[in-house]
Amino acid sequence: MTSPSAAGRTAASGPTADGPTADGRTADGGVLAVVRRGWRALAWYVTGVLGESDYPRYVAHLRRMHPDAAVPTAREYWRDRYAAQDADPGARCC
């Protein structure tokens, strides 16, 4: 048997593990948590589009797949990457 307070609740009235409720509350801290999660997602997207995560990802790839290869500095990596793009622009507009 359920208590009277539990019987009156609906699925949309309380926070769930699936995400925020209709009024924006979440199980992990409320509206502020939703804003923080959205901000982190936006920052992740923008840094990905701008290529900020490319060098660390390349270094991780080199260490994993080619452990004997020398790891270039960030400056060397970007210089080589831009030189390769200039040599073969592919589908770039300019």
Side-chain angles (χ1 to χ4, degrees), residues 6 12 17 33-34 39 41-42 46-47 53 59 71 76:
V34 172
W39 182 254
L42 178 65
V46 169
T47 58
S53 60
V59 170
V71 176
E76 293 169 338

Side-chain angles (χ1 to χ4, degrees), residues 46-73:
V46 169
T47 58
V49 168
L50 296 177
E52 189 174 320
S53 60
D54 291 351
Y55 175 70
R57 188 173 46 228
Y58 178 70
V59 170
H61 164 78
L62 273 181
R63 290 186 175 150
R64 186 177 60 251
M65 302 303 287
H66 311 282
D68 297 335
V71 176
T73 64

Side-chain angles (χ1 to χ4, degrees), residues 3 5 11 25 32 34 38-39 41 45 47-48 51 53 58 64 70 74-80 85-86 90 92 94:
S3 67
S5 61
R25 293 181 298 138
L32 188 57
V34 172
W39 182 254
Y45 177 76
T47 58
S53 60
Y58 178 70
R64 186 177 60 251
R75 174 176 247 160
E76 293 169 338
Y77 169 79
W78 288 110
R79 183 178 51 226
D80 291 345
Q85 285 179 346
D86 288 341
R92 285 191 323 193
C94 45

